[in-house]
Amino acid sequence: MGRVAVVTGGSRGIGAAISKALKAAGYKVAATYAGNDEAANAFKSETGIPVYKWDVSNTDACAAGLKQVEADLGPIEVLINNAGITRDSAFHRMTAEHWHAVINTNLNSLFNMTRPVIEGMRARKFGRIINISSINGQKGQFGQTNYSAAKAGDLGFTKALAQESAKLGITVNAICPGYIATEMVMAVPQDVREKSIIPQIAVGRLGEAEEIARCVVFLAADEAGFITGSTLSANGGQYMI
């Protein structure tokens, strides 16, 4: 039987592509979502991947939800922390509510989701944890102080936990997507995409969600055990470090 993988925010956008790719690679996948029941049910009908609804910013909800996934599918061996939100504005106009909402969903969720599964991974001496950060966690972005701070925090979390877990067969890595042709990016006016965004990308186009999913499948594989604490930048050459 395939290893059990959980993908947060796994029924839409990049998360949906990750869920589908992992299933195609032989994993038993559980996709979590926060609130869009219609999209989640459509995704479940289309793919056969079970969906679970909870708020990843809620510590108790994560513990209970992960317990249910393990009861349904078995021990969780692969965790993809993908869920994220934006609440953009210049910092001098940013509200405390928008700051905390983004930090709680995009950064604190890594603790909420990883803490309940890490002991099982340590006991079994195997685990794959992949955190979906962002190009804007690497370089910053105007109007995204909250988002950039959270996504940069994801990278620090990745490197520290990788060091703690390496000798126990658990790898912890991050992926930093650039501009991907998701609903959110495609909602940007076409002229803005063509004049302001795409010219910054060396390959001359937006990325596809499936391209990020392939990165996840690579890092999740049993054969990827020598890669840990790494950040994989998938941004078409927009930002090179």
Side-chain angles (χ1 to χ4, degrees), residues 52-54 60-70 76:
Y52 296 81
K53 183 179 182 179
W54 74 76
D60 292 338
C62 289
L66 290 165
K67 185 176 180 180
Q68 184 61 56
V69 171
E70 292 202 318
I76 295 165

Side-chain angles (χ1 to χ4, degrees), residues 67-114:
K67 185 176 180 180
Q68 184 61 56
V69 171
E70 292 202 318
D72 293 345
L73 301 180
I76 295 165
E77 297 174 294
V78 178
L79 172 63
I80 316 300
N81 287 309
N82 166 74
I85 62 170
T86 56
R87 299 289 185 271
D88 296 350
S89 71
F91 185 73
H92 66 280
R93 296 192 183 97
M94 187 174 292
T95 65
E97 178 185 1
H98 284 176
W99 173 269
H100 290 297
V102 170
I103 296 296
N104 286 337
T105 298
N106 297 11
L107 177 57
N108 291 343
S109 63
L110 270 62
F111 174 86
N112 296 340
M113 289 295 299
T114 308

